């Protein structure tokens, strides 16, 4: 005797969160049944493996039917096919758009193209996330990208409204979209120690203002047109020998006796300063933008780390480094400097860990 | 020309992409009614078109209004080729024709295509202006209300129950017309859907006419079925109970004119505050007092029973005030008949009166399963009849040249055709009637009819096969009963009618009853042997010295005055006033019998030869299982026999209960025939032990602790033998009528002889029934006896399974085992799915079996899971146990004051209700917690509406669905009309749609969605008495094709939630009730 057809349809759609997670994670029905059995639902409800299998199949089918609606979450609220209470709808959407940190780390900054999608099996093998789940996550990134690309207004808010996501998730998506649009390099070995959350934080710092069309705007906030020239002007800090020395002495005076790493700071000041200011100047060139993170690590974070600066040292140094520039009488670009250093400082502080 | 139908097409949304190039659609809409068609403008390049059309007006006869659906077709405009259809919406405008139902249809409807399923939604507005037509010869019956509910609908009162109405119409099935060979599957499906819609409209109109003729205004318990007889045609038939219903308008004395003396009483009970309190789970047979100016007048306010009081409390209560009531003998007199009085000469008198009331009727049948208190006097037992017919092609000269599928005009064409079917049914009904007579009953209640058709299905998908050898089993069953004739007589209404608020569960806060009245009249007349309501229906209607079948009679364990049988089988719901011990449970008998493959007449003969054996075995199984659960009565019995190519399937489902009035069932004893063998004896004793253990366990499980009875053997003059109440007959086309004596010739305990292989099988099947997991109960009736404190959490569901039997050469036993496992597994799956609702009860579990193909068994279940409140339930159970203990003592001295003893018996049941606050708060917290847990029950609609607004307009209205006639903790304020929908879905890409399961899953979900949308458009928020009457599934995996037909029905209603505060007052008053009750006793 074999079951040829087996369906269960409730007036209110029955969904088990645990099974939903298995489905999202790309488990096959068999695997999900296995895991559920180990989980002990059986003893709890005096059911057999057969019952569990039938239930899992049913739910998988339901999710498959819902998937189309989840692609445009607003539809879920006014479709008539499934009667799902609003808080369950919110759960379905949120979980559907939730992604794995390890997976997103692999595709972060890559072009969301068919080519990348083809390589997902490698990503799957590397991260241990099932291919099915990888595809869903990748398609989600792509879908969000496609929708917000056409929209005006603030990026995070657009994502939140269109996909009915929580604020946190909307911010993460904004970061992903931002990275994909600017093709930031995140895959180099030196950057491996950085997590998605590090990058997402930096992206949040970089995306500040949005006004016109997002195609343009998804560039780092620092590259506003009015800014381009100003950023170049910062170069004076390293090109003008007097200014550089003056800056160094101001910073050293302030730091003396406050940190164990003072000697290293003093010795490296010029190199570090050159690194930071060069990054600012490089930002004006669209092509070089993608090297932002690698530059930051190579030119600044790595030297400091090899000198064994603590996080506190770093904070102290950057604070004084930024503030001392205000005292320089010949330095006229205070506003740009503050804005630039504000972003850079918080990025470095976030990125400065093992 | 008395009607103007107006329709407006507002907008569409989520339309499918019809133009690949632009990924958009140029949609427009055709609105068609009868032969008139209107079109909207094309709304170019949009998936969310805003047509906002003018009002399309159709001026039509009301006859057409009743028959025709409004047909809305959404199309994609194409400049160069033919316009592509996106899908259709059929809107039944019948609800707009009754002044009391809906006034406007407005809302989003899913656009449905028989090949693609739901493709977007369309917003439509429909109105009807109806001019009154007083033409006596009119063909229409606008305004007659239809209800699927098999009890008197909640917000109505039955002034008069007229009786049975039936009708059938026949047409050729478009699927089998020659044109089907050249048209697309879509066109064929649509023709079929439209035809059935037309036919059911026509059927409803014709039944309506009959009702009007009888002087009624409504049909209750309307049951419409389709027989897809393949080549022989398509039959749509319906039965129902004609009634005159009066609407109860809360707070107004609407009935004043018709029944002057009811006015004050109905006023009192209908005042809004009281009406609102009506707790759906209370089973109290209370109703307004007929004569207000009595000392009892205070009762309506003071004696409202608690919401979870068991049924008995109230009736008992009122009877305990006998002394007061007897001061107003007018009631008894006025009614002109002494009700509830069965002894001696009165019994005969009653029978005469009842007979005269019913005699005018050809068939004294009632499709109702729940009755107003006092309606049901005695129950005889189940009566059923089956007949095997060979279907031949309907010869119809007119069809030969009819090219359209227009409904045939039966006035001019071949009027003899439907009459063949009519004659068949007539024959069966006559049989039922004569069975009922043999049981000493003049009426049949809980009556239903069904057919099983077997066709050759191998080539069921197009091109349609030409098969003519189809066999059809017509079945009818019901419960023979004696009814109170007062409800059927016009003349009695003035006096008697006043107290007949016939709704099954009248609002709280009304008390007094005709039951009381019955007793009053009896006490007034000086008779001391009135039947108390809680056991009266169990008393035998037949003459004990002239019994229709051998039976073991005892004096009623409740009143000790009348004779009762030892087991009672019925097709109705448990009467609200019945005294029950413990809880009930679903009992199923399953049977599979092999049959030789045959065709035509040989096949029909083979089937009809097997039928009696199947019925006998099903009956034996039911009896065994009943005893195993220590119960003595079955309610809601439904026996279904399905025919396959090489087997017959029988499935009997019922809800077993322990009726306190009936004797405790004896155990089951196993006897071996060769007692010499020692090991054999051992085997038997282990078996016996297992059985005894199971019985003990079940007693615990169902909380059955009957008072230890002093066995006074009243014995009937006939040797006590195991008897059965099942009266059946099978007849072939030849009209041969046979009656089987299903008695088992054994004494006392039920003895199973194990030498018999059948007996081994019986025992196996007895013991293989898996116990329900903790926290679950199940029944196939409206509500579970013994559970009163429902929460508002409910989940209606449909589950379908098809099994393939792999090994072709199976024995009967093997098949039986498979079939039993199949049903058990399905139940297990349901329990697992619904585990988050624990503690809960699966109510109205309705199984349908079919054998769609050789080696395939299809089982479909529709039911509702309702959760209840554990803690109050425990308290209630405890109190009940205690109560039965007390009752025991009471019995000793209160034998003749049966009313009083029963009231004290029930007093303890009021105790659980004494903890109102805790109970209430607990249940509400339970409801909210259940929303959180995973497979969730339906959520409160209010909370849904108030949740965060989503961008795309207002969220969809939540529509609850239930197969029951009520929703717990709510009050139905309006019936909006009947929902009766028929859908066909077909696919030619079965694999791509997820195989058969994926295909059916989405189809059922779509059907639910369409039902909900129609209800919401009528302004409703629930469907009650929902049922899926047909689910025919056919597949052809080789061709990657499948087709499914589903027919659903129900009543669209508006309900309002009973808030917790509103529910508390009756609880408080109930305390007073019991005090009054106690006063009455002392």
């Amino acid at each position: 005797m074999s079951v040829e057809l087996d369906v269960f349809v409730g007036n209110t759609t029955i969904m088990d969160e645990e099974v939903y997670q298995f489905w999202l994670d790309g488990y096959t029905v068999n695997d999900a049944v296995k895991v559920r059995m180990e989980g002990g639902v059986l003893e709890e409800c005096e059911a057999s493996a057969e019952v569990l299998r039938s239930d899992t199949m049913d739910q998988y089918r339901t999710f498959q039917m819902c998937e189309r609606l989840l692609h445009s979450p607003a539809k879920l609220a006014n479709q008539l096919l499934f009667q799902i209470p609003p808080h369950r709808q919110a759960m379905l959407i949120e979980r559907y758009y939730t992604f794995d940190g390890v997976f997103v780390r692999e595709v972060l900054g890559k072009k969301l193209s068919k080519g990348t999608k083809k390589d997902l099996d490698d990503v799957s093998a590397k991260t241990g996330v099932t291919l099915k789940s990888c595809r869903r996550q990748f398609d989600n990134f792509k879908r969000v990208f496609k929708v917000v690309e056409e929209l005006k207004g603030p990026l995070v808010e657009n994502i939140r409204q269109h996909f009915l996501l929580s604020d946190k998730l909307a911010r993460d998506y904004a970061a992903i979209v931002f990275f994909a649009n600017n093709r930031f390099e995140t895959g180099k070995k030196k950057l491996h120690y950085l997590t998605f959350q590090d990058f997402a934080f930096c992206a949040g710092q970089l995306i500040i203002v949005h006004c016109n069309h997002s195609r343009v705007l998804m560039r780092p906030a620092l590259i506003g047109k009015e800014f381009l020239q100003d950023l170049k002007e910062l170069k004076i800090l390293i090109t003008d020998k007097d200014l550089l020395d003056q800056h160094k002495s101001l910073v050293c005076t302030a730091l003396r006796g406050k940190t164990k790493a003072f000697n290293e700071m003093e010795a490296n000041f010029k190199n570090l300063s050159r690194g930071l200011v060069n990054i600012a100047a490089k930002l004006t060139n669209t092509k070089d933008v993608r090297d932002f993170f690698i530059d930051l690590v190579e030119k600044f974070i790595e030297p400091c780390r090899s000198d064994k600066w603590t996080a506190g040292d770093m904070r102290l140094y950057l604070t004084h480094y930024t503030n001392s520039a205000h005292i320089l009488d010949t330095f006229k670009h205070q506003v740009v400097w503050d804005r630039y250093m504000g972003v850079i400082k918080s990025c470095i502080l976030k990125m400065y860990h093992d | 020309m008395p009607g103007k139908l107006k329709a407006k097409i507002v907008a569409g949304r989520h339309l499918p992409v019809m133009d690949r190039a632009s990924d958009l659609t140029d949609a427009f809409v055709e609105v068609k009614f009868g032969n008139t068609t209107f079109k909207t403008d094309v709304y170019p390049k949009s998936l969310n078109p805003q047509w906002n059309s003018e009002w399309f007006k159709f001026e039509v006869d009301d006859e057409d209004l009743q028959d025709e659906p409004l047909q809305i077709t959404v199309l994609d405009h194409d400049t160069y080729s033919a316009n592509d259809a996106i899908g259709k919406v059929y809107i039944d405008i019948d609800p707009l024709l009754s002044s009391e139902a809906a006034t406007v249809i407005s809302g989003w409807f899913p656009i449905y295509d028989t090949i693609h399923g739901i493709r977007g939604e369309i917003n439509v507005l429909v109105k009807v202006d109806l001019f009154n037509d007083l033409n006596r010869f009119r063909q229409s019956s606008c305004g007659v209300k239809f209800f699927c509910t098999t009890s008197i609908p909640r917000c109505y009162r039955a002034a008069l129950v007229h009786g049975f109405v039936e009708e059938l119409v026949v047409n050729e099935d478009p699927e089998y017309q020659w044109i089907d060979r050249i048209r697309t599957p879509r066109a064929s499906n649509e023709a079929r859907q439209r035809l059935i819609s037309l036919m059911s409209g026509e059927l409803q109109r014709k039944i309506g006419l009959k009702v009007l003729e009888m002087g009624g205004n409504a049909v209750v318990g309307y049951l419409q079925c389709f027989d897809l007889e393949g080549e022989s045609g398509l039959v749509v038939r319906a039965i129902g109970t004609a009634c005159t219903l009066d609407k109860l308008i809360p707070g107004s004395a609407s009935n004043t004119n018709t029944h002057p003396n009811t006015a004050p009483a109905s006023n009192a009970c209908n005042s809004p505050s009281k009406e609102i309190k009506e707790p759906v789970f209370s089973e109290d047979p209370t109703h307004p007092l007929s004569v207000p100016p009595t000392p009892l007048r205070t009762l309506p306010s003071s004696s409202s029973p608690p919401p979870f009081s068991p049924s008995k409390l109230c009736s008992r209560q009122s009877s305990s005030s006998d002394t007061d009531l007897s001061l107003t003998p007018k009631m008894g007199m006025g009614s002109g008949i002494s009700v509830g009085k069965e002894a001696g000469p009165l019994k005969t008198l009653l029978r005469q009166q009842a007979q005269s009331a019913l005699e005018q009727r050809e068939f004294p049948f009632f499709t109702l399963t729940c009755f107003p208190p006092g309606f049901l006097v005695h129950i005889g037992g189940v009566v059923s009849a089956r007949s095997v017919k060979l279907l031949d092609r309907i010869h119809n000269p007119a069809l030969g040249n009819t090219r359209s599928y227009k409904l045939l005009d039966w006035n001019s064409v071949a009027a003899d055709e439907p009459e063949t079917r009519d004659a068949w049914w007539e024959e069966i009904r006559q049989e039922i009637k004569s069975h009922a007579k043999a049981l000493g009953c003049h009426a049949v209640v809980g009556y239903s009819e069904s057919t099983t058709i077997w066709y050759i299905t191998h080539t069921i998908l197009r091109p349609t096969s030409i098969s003519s050898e189809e066999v059809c089993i017509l079945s009818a069953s019901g419960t023979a009963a004696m009814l109170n004739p007062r409800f059927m007589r016009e003349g009695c209404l003035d006096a008697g009618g006043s107290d007949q608020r016939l709704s099954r569960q009248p609002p709280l806060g009304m008390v007094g009853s005709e039951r009381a009245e019955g007793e009053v009249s009896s006490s007034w007349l000086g008779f001391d042997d009135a039947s108390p309501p809680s056991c009266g229906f169990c008393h035998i209607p037949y003459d004990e010295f002239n019994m229709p079948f051998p039976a073991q009679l005892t004096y009623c364990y409740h009143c000790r005055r009348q004779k009762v049988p030892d087991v009672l089988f019925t097709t109705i719901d448990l009467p609200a006033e019945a005294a029950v011990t413990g809880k009930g449970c679903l009992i199923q008998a399953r049977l599979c019998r092999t049959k030789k493959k045959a065709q035509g007449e040989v096949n029909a003969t083979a089937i009809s030869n097997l039928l009696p054996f199947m019925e006998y075995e099903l009956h034996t199984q039911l009896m065994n299982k009943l005893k195993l659960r220590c119960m003595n009565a079955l309610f809601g019995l439904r026996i279904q026999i399905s025919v396959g190519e090489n087997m017959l399937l029988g499935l009997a489902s019922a809800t077993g209960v322990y009726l306190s009035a009936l004797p405790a069932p004896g155990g089951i004893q196993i006897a071996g025939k060769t007692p010499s063998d020692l090991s054999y004896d051992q085997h038997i004793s282990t078996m016996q032990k297992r059985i005894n253990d199971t019985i003990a366990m079940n007693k615990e499980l169902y909380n059955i602790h009957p008072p230890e009875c002093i066995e006074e053997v009243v014995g009937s003059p006939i040797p006590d033998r195991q008897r059965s109440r099942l009266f059946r007959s099978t007849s072939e086309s030849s009209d041969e009528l046979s009656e089987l004596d299903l008695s088992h010739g054994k004494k006392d305990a039920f003895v199973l002889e194990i030498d018999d292989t059948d007996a081994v099988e019986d025992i196996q099947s007895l013991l293989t029934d898996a116990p329900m997991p903790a926290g679950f109960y199940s029944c196939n009736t409206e509500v579970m006896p013994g559970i009163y404190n429902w929460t508002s959490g409910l989940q209606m569901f449909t589950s379908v399974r098809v099994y393939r039997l792999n090994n072709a050469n199976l024995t009967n036993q093997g098949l039986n085992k498979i079939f039993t496992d199949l049903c058990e597994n399905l139940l297990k799956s349901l329990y697992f799915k619904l585990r988050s609702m624990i503690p809960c009860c699966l109510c109205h579990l309705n199984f349908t079996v079919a054998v769609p193909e050789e080696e395939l068994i299809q089982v479909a279940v529709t039911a509702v899971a309702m959760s209840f409140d554990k803690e109050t339930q425990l308290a209630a159970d405890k109190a009940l146990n205690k109560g039965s203990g007390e009752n025991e003592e009471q019995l000793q001295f209160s034998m003749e004051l049966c009313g009083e003893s029963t009231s004290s018996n029930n007093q303890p049941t009021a105790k659980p209700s004494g903890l109102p606050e805790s109970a209430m708060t607990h249940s509400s917290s339970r409801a909210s917690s259940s929303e959180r847990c995973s497979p969730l029950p339906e959520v409160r609609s209010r909370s849904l509406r108030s949740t965060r607004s989503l961008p795309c307009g207002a969220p969809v209205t939540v529509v609850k669905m239930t197969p029951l006639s009520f929703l717990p903790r709510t009050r139905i304020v309006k019936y909006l009309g009947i929902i009766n929908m028929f859908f066909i879905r077909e696919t030619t890409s079965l694999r791509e749609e997820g195989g058969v399961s994926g295909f059916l899953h989405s189809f059922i979900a779509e059907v639910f969605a369409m039902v909900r949308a129609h209800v919401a458009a009528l302004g409703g928020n629930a469907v009650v008495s929902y049922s899926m009457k047909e689910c025919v599934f056919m597949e052809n995996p080789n061709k990657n094709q499948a087709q499914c037909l589903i027919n659903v029905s129900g009543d669209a209603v508006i309900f309002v939630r009973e808030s917790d505060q509103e529910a508390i007052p009756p609880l408080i008053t109930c305390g007073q009730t019991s005090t009054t009750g106690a006063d009455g006793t002392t």
Side-chain angles (χ1 to χ4, degrees), chain A residues 1-18 36 41-42 44-48 50-52 54-56 58-59 61-62 65 68 74-75 77-90 93 161 164-165, chain B residues 13-14 108 110 121 773-774 795-804 806 818 825 828-830 832-835 931 934-936 938-939 944 947-948 950-952 956 958-961 996-998 1000-1002 1004-1006 1008-1009 1012 1033 1035:
Chain A
M1 182 179 71
S2 59
V3 179
E4 182 120 338
L5 179 158
D6 179 9
V7 295
F8 175 100
V9 190
N11 184 36
T12 301
T13 308
I14 288 187
M15 289 170 181
D16 187 310
E17 288 188 36
E18 190 197 19
R36 289 184 85 187
V41 236
L42 285 189
E44 199 182 297
C45 318
E46 306 165 40
S48 65
E50 204 183 317
V51 166
L52 210 52
S54 140
D55 178 58
T56 312
D58 246 338
Q59 305 232 21
R61 257 198 317 270
T62 310
M65 285 192 255
R68 187 177 50 84
K75 267 191 192 170
N78 59 16
Q79 51 85 30
L80 302 175
L81 190 56
F82 299 103
Q83 189 158 277
I84 306 169
H87 69 281
R88 306 285 294 176
Q89 291 180 13
I93 296 167
Q161 283 198 350
L164 309 175
L165 300 178
Chain B
R13 68 182 181 195
H14 309 333
W108 289 99
E121 288 128 34
Q795 168 71 280
M796 189 283 295
F797 59 86
T798 291
S799 184
V800 182
R801 282 194 185 183
V802 175
Y803 293 80
R804 180 174 293 281
N806 291 326
I818 286 172
N825 287 342
K828 271 187 210 158
S829 269
L830 298 181
F832 181 76
K833 283 262 184 204
L834 300 160
R835 65 193 183 282
E931 284 167 27
S934 59
L936 70 162
E938 295 182 35
V939 195
L944 259 182
T947 43
R948 67 174 175 150
L950 293 155
C952 296
V956 180
V958 173
V959 176
K960 295 200 170 200
M961 289 166 81
V996 285
S997 295
L1000 194 62
H1001 193 141
S1002 50
I1004 293 175
E1006 281 166 353
F1008 284 4
R1012 286 193 302 255
F1033 177 77
E1035 56 163 330

Side-chain angles (χ1 to χ4, degrees), chain B residues 455-632:
Chain B
Y455 13 39
I456 298 168
T457 51
H458 303 290
T459 45
I460 198 76
L461 293 173
R462 291 175 196 86
T464 316
S465 69
I466 307 289
S467 71
S468 55
E469 308 281 79
E470 285 157 347
V471 171
C472 166
I473 303 179
L474 311 185
S475 328
S477 72
T479 305
M482 294 269 281
L483 302 181
N484 186 337
R486 198 176 35 169
F487 291 87
M488 286 155 274
R489 281 238 203 125
E490 205 92 39
C492 306
L493 265 179
D494 293 342
S498 56
D499 55 340
Q500 300 157 10
R501 188 188 174 270
L502 297 193
S503 83
R504 197 176 128 258
Q505 289 170 341
L508 276 179
M510 308 181 185
V511 122
S513 62
E514 62 213 306
R515 191 76 55 192
E517 183 197 333
E519 281 164 39
V520 170
S521 61
S522 65
S523 54
W524 174 71
L525 287 167
F527 291 103
D528 55 356
D529 55 358
S531 309
S534 51
C535 63
F537 71 92
C538 308
H539 300 164
I540 50 161
Y542 35 85
D543 188 350
E544 72 178 273
F545 297 104
N546 189 14
M547 284 197 291
F549 46 79
Q552 181 180 3
L553 300 179
T554 48
Y555 275 116
C556 172
Y557 278 62
H558 208 273
C559 66
R560 301 268 162 190
R561 275 177 250 187
Q562 301 280 317
K563 297 281 175 67
V564 292
D566 60 343
V567 266
L568 191 60
F569 283 16
T570 74
T571 57
I572 57 169
D573 275 324
L574 182 70
E577 60 270 29
V580 175
T581 305
K583 295 193 180 62
C585 87
L586 178 78
I587 292 179
Q588 278 193 329
R590 300 135 183 160
L591 191 69
C592 223
R593 281 289 168 266
T594 50
K595 172 186 83 72
K596 282 204 181 97
K597 279 186 203 178
Q599 296 261 307
E601 211 155 322
V602 186
N603 195 21
T605 317
I607 293 169
S608 54
N609 284 343
L610 272 169
L611 281 180
F613 295 99
M614 296 204 53
E615 293 216 38
Y616 174 83
E617 280 183 51
L618 285 171
H619 183 259
T620 312
Q621 253 189 57
L622 281 176
M623 197 68 119
N624 288 347
K625 289 189 178 180
L626 190 66
K627 292 197 177 294
L628 198 69
R629 285 169 180 80
C630 196
M631 294 175 182
N632 56 20

Side-chain angles (χ1 to χ4, degrees), chain B residues 628 666-672 680-696 749-754 763 766-767:
Chain B
L628 198 69
I668 299 175
Q669 251 173 38
I670 300 177
Y680 186 71
D681 276 355
Q682 223 160 22
H683 175 62
I684 284 179
S685 65
T686 42
M687 282 274 231
Q688 181 71 54
K689 192 171 175 303
R690 271 180 72 192
I691 286 178
N692 293 344
D693 290 351
T694 317
I695 292 179
F750 209 63
V751 180
L752 291 172
E753 280 180 3
I754 203 156
I763 293 167
L766 269 182
L767 294 169

